[in-house]
Amino acid sequence: MSPWEIGRFALLGLLANKIRTALTMLGVLIGVGAVILLVAVGNGSSKSVQASIENLGTNLITVSHTAGGGRFGAAGRGSDLKDLTLDDAKALADPAQAPHVKSAAPVQSTSASVVYAAQSTTVNSVVGTTPDWFPTTNHQIARGVALSAADVDNARKVVVLGSTTVENAFGPEDPIDKQVLISGIPFRVVGVLATKGGGAQDTDDTVVMPVSTLRASLAGYGSLSQIAVQATSAADTDEAQAEITAVLNSRHKITSSAQTDYRIVNQESLLSANDETNRTFTVLLGAVAAISLLVGGIGITNIMLVTVAERTREIGIRKAIGAPRGAILGQFLAESTLLSVIGGALGVAAGLCAARFTVVGIEPVVVPSSVVAAFGVSVALGLFFGGYPAARAAALRPIEALRHE
Amino acid sequence: MSAPAPVVQVRGLTKEYGRGDAAVQALRGVDLTVAAGDFVAVMGSSGSGKSTLMNILGCLDTPTSGRYLLDGLDVGGLDEHQLSLVRNRRIGFVFQSFNLIPRTTALANVELPLAYAGVRARERRRRALAALDLVGLSERLHHRPNELSGGQQQRVAVARALVTAPAMLLADEPTGNLDSRSTAEILDIVSRLNASGRTVVVITHEDEVAARAKRVVRLVDGLVAEDRRQDAPWAVTA
Ligand SMILES: Nc1ncnc2c1ncn2[C@@H]1O[C@H](COP(=O)(O)OP(=O)(O)OP(=O)(O)O)[C@@H](O)[C@H]1O
Ligand SMILES: [Mg+2]
């Protein structure tokens, strides 16, 4: 028998029982499609977190004040611990002391209620800072103006709002030059930040005001929460970090690392840490998908076993009229190959299609190797589990196969 | 005129099913010779070993011991592939339960042995049509088994058995599931085939069927108890 003829028999065999064929293909389809989609979702979420971190700027360095644990660890040194101050921020911005620092801005944050037209929302990120903050942290102004040096010098009661805060407090109304009450104190809105989007928490729900105003009216005169620093380029972050350490150590009179009262985090390290968590996430999703593929595979196996059991009599008839073993094996192998290849191809198509939609807020990004792996595994499963029972049946004596119940 | 060479030569054939206490001796040493062109009816009570013998003659099963020469060829020495060739070319087997491939048309069923023999599609079609014409089913070529009556299914099975022009036609109670009219039709076909020179061995319980045969072999408890030639008044002359 020619291979063409064996293929024709296989096709006829599949068409002879359309529902069984369709169900088996559906099993393969779902398994393959799930692997492709889930891996794409995992990959997509990792990509989106990465993008939102990059959005903040990869040359952004954050110096934060060590509170609580730091003080506790340094208990033996009594009150030696220095605050992060506005002067620290100025010193870091000085090109003579830190040539690889492009800009630096003090950040003091608190949370407060924002009230407009009797509508109150709570904003957790109320930031007091200087005009340098906008370029340092890559924030653009969408409407109105940013804070000015004069605003800071005169501790004016002006604010720039994040886009989410505007939406929450004003709705569609134009907020520029409107009065809002922040913790009961009237402020004038001068500007709105451009939407950044992304990230686990909404960075667009924020209020920015002069640091002097914040300290005078809302938060008091303790240590700064952070100093935001921008290195001259992403490649210079290591040098910038070294310079920051040198400047702060000398200003805070720190001689050993045990005395350190601040912490430096750069986006690069955040990025790679995030990368790791996301890889774990993707692997987990992939494992779930692999299990669904396995279950799909068991489905194929089951149907193939049932098919062969059901068709053992048919194999007996074929042997009785002189079918050589190779022809029978060839037919069943071709059937299961056709099943799993067509089912797998449909699964790839379904997976790729589904990956074009947003799934639970994540834009899936297809990983090509997952497509190849899912397709390959489904074809291999189909071949093995279609071939093995058929080989067993074809090895029977015709009369045994014919008597099979 | 010298006697034609025997198609079947069986010596000391035994078949045992199962082991130990549960063992059943279905055949206990059968000797049988069937000459070319003969028409043998195998009779005997239920459980006497008729089907067992027939399955061995059709190379569907293997004996526990004994020799079986088919056209002078020792079947015991053949490998799996050679056996499939023997089943395909030399033997046509008809079952009591028809055993057509389900969901497959009459024509495709009859073409199947030719496909396994490697006959080309056009030649295959021609011979299958001729075989179906011989059994009077030219009108039902594209019907599936479940769209045919029992008698029609058995005629398809006969067409499938004879389409490769085997030397020997074996039939295990071919009319066991049929009414008297269908039985007569099948018997006419078989008689005609025998008249045209084909060797026929048929198992039956029915005297009406045995009456067509030239020779009746009776099995009792796995042994040949009677072997008698008879005139074949119903035989059709070609
Ligand atoms: N596969 C088997 N396993 C075990 N015993 C079997 C098997 N096939 C047949 N037998 C036994 O072998 C004996 C002969 O069976 P066989 O089918 O040859 O009888 P038979 O003459 O064809 O009977 P019937 O006229 O009822 O068809 C019986 O006792 C039967 O029980
Ligand atoms: Mg029987």
Side-chain angles (χ1 to χ4, degrees):
Chain A
M1 270 174 97
S2 68
W4 187 84
E5 196 120 43
I6 288 175
R8 201 177 67 98
F9 274 13
L11 202 61
L12 287 176
L14 288 180
L15 291 179
N17 199 332
K18 295 190 183 67
I19 290 180
R20 184 175 60 203
T21 302
L23 281 178
T24 313
M25 278 189 188
L26 192 66
V28 184
L29 187 157
I30 290 174
V32 171
V35 169
I36 293 174
L37 183 62
L38 287 186
V39 171
V41 166
N43 187 38
S45 98
S46 136
K47 284 264 157 65
S48 92
V49 171
Q50 214 148 315
S52 74
I53 290 175
E54 269 162 18
N55 216 352
L56 294 174
T58 45
N59 46 357
L60 181 65
I61 299 169
T62 312
V63 180
S64 32
H65 188 245
T66 340
R71 286 192 194 275
F72 181 77
R77 292 186 283 115
S79 57
D80 285 3
L81 271 178
K82 302 282 195 313
D83 290 342
L84 278 181
T85 63
L86 293 174
D87 288 337
D88 286 340
K90 276 202 193 98
L92 292 181
D94 178 3
Q97 291 186 60
H100 289 100
V101 170
K102 191 168 159 201
S103 62
V107 173
Q108 184 154 6
S109 51
T110 183
S111 62
S113 64
V114 174
V115 179
Y116 176 75
Q119 180 90 13
S120 171
T121 67
T122 302
V123 177
N124 287 317
S125 162
V126 176
V127 172
T129 186
T130 61
D132 288 338
W133 182 82
F134 296 89
T136 305
T137 56
N138 274 337
H139 277 98
Q140 315 284 327
I141 294 295
R143 270 182 290 170
V145 294
L147 301 177
S148 68
D151 292 335
V152 177
D153 292 344
N154 302 320
R156 285 183 190 146
K157 295 197 170 54
V158 291
V159 287
V160 174
L161 301 181
S163 55
T164 304
T165 313
V166 169
E167 224 169 90
N168 291 344
F170 291 87
E173 213 176 311
D174 182 8
I176 301 294
D177 282 335
K178 299 271 159 54
Q179 286 254 317
V180 288
L181 292 179
I182 297 177
S183 285
I185 301 159
F187 279 79
R188 187 168 60 87
V189 180
V190 294
V192 176
L193 293 174
T195 304
K196 281 217 156 189
Q201 70 226 45
D202 190 351
T203 54
D204 294 318
D205 190 7
T206 187
V207 172
V208 186
M209 63 175 69
V211 64
S212 45
T213 318
L214 184 97
R215 296 186 137 202
S217 322
L218 295 173
Y221 290 88
S223 169
L224 292 176
S225 332
Q226 290 176 346
I227 299 173
V229 179
Q230 189 173 40
T232 41
S233 78
D236 293 338
T237 48
D238 284 346
E239 285 92 335
Q241 212 168 320
E243 289 160 12
I244 293 167
T245 310
V247 169
L248 289 181
N249 280 355
S250 91
R251 289 181 58 84
H252 292 193
K253 308 203 167 52
I254 290 166
T255 49
S256 79
S257 63
Q259 292 173 284
T260 310
D261 51 14
Y262 58 88
R263 200 157 50 93
I264 302 177
V265 177
N266 68 43
Q267 295 296 331
E268 280 294 298
S269 62
L270 216 59
L271 207 59
S272 63
N274 241 298
D275 220 31
E276 218 141 287
T277 20
N278 272 301
R279 201 161 308 134
T280 318
F281 182 56
T282 308
V283 166
L284 268 177
L285 275 182
V288 170
I291 289 170
S292 84
L293 183 61
L294 190 73
V295 172
I298 293 172
I300 306 179
T301 314
N302 195 18
I303 291 188
M304 289 293 179
L305 281 171
V306 170
T307 305
V308 172
E310 187 184 295
R311 293 174 67 182
T312 300
R313 249 182 90 81
E314 180 188 327
I315 290 178
I317 300 171
R318 288 177 186 270
K319 290 197 78 163
I321 61 175
R325 192 141 113 201
I328 291 174
L329 258 185
Q331 179 191 338
F332 275 78
L333 273 183
E335 275 187 24
S336 48
T337 309
L338 270 178
L339 259 186
S340 48
V341 166
I342 296 177
L346 290 177
V348 168
L352 292 182
C353 260
R356 301 179 58 156
F357 297 99
T358 307
V359 183
V360 289
I362 296 168
E363 301 254 8
V365 178
V366 172
V367 182
S369 63
S370 76
V371 177
V372 176
F375 186 73
V377 166
S378 79
V379 170
L381 279 178
L383 268 184
F384 179 75
F385 290 114
Y388 170 69
R392 240 180 23 185
L396 293 175
R397 269 176 284 148
I399 198 69
E400 288 171 326
L402 276 172
R403 283 212 191 104
H404 191 92
E405 301 284 290
Chain B
M1 200 174 109
S2 66
V7 179
V8 169
Q9 250 184 311
V10 160
R11 291 290 168 269
L13 205 65
T14 71
K15 177 72 184 181
E16 192 177 312
Y17 290 112
R19 291 196 180 167
D21 289 346
V24 176
Q25 280 274 338
L27 296 177
R28 302 165 183 269
V30 171
D31 296 330
L32 184 69
T33 303
V34 178
D38 210 348
F39 186 162
V40 182
V42 178
M43 301 190 75
S45 58
S46 181
S48 56
K50 307 180 295 291
S51 293
T52 303
L53 174 64
M54 195 65 126
N55 292 336
I56 293 171
L57 293 184
C59 296
L60 305 180
D61 207 350
T62 48
T64 306
S65 69
R67 260 162 77 84
Y68 171 24
L69 302 186
L70 176 65
D71 282 335
L73 185 77
D74 189 348
V75 170
L78 300 182
D79 67 19
E80 167 76 25
H81 188 71
Q82 291 166 319
L83 276 177
S84 72
L85 287 179
V86 166
R87 290 192 282 258
N88 188 246
R89 311 272 160 89
R90 306 205 181 193
I91 298 167
F93 209 108
V94 178
F95 301 87
Q96 179 176 353
S97 53
F98 320 139
N99 276 345
L100 298 178
I101 307 261
R103 297 181 287 265
T104 306
T105 63
L107 184 60
N109 261 291
V110 177
E111 280 190 21
L112 201 55
L114 296 174
Y116 288 131
V119 176
R120 289 177 170 285
R122 184 173 305 182
E123 171 72 359
R124 205 158 71 198
R125 176 64 48 101
R126 191 185 66 71
R127 283 166 66 175
L129 288 175
L132 281 164
D133 187 46
L134 195 74
V135 299
L137 274 182
S138 297
E139 312 287 287
R140 295 279 187 279
L141 300 180
H142 301 291
H143 286 60
R144 287 149 206 274
N146 60 352
E147 299 160 351
L148 294 170
S149 74
Q152 288 167 336
Q153 286 185 58
Q154 193 61 301
R155 281 191 276 162
V156 174
V158 171
R160 185 180 65 183
L162 60 84
V163 75
T164 53
M168 180 165 69
L169 187 72
L170 302 176
D172 188 346
E173 299 192 44
T175 60
N177 286 354
L178 304 181
D179 66 11
S180 56
R181 205 179 126 222
S182 298
T183 297
E185 284 169 357
I186 295 289
L187 288 179
D188 284 342
I189 295 166
V190 171
S191 297
R192 254 186 290 142
L193 286 171
N194 176 248
S196 67
R198 203 147 295 163
T199 313
V200 175
V201 180
V202 60
I203 293 179
T204 185
H205 284 294
E206 298 157 76
D207 294 330
E208 180 198 355
V209 178
R212 302 260 187 158
K214 298 175 182 164
R215 178 182 168 197
V216 176
V217 172
R218 194 171 295 275
L219 285 188
V220 175
D221 280 345
L223 283 170
V224 178
E226 185 192 345
D227 189 345
R228 152 174 76 81
R229 293 220 151 262
Q230 65 181 17
D231 288 337
W234 292 94
V236 181
T237 39

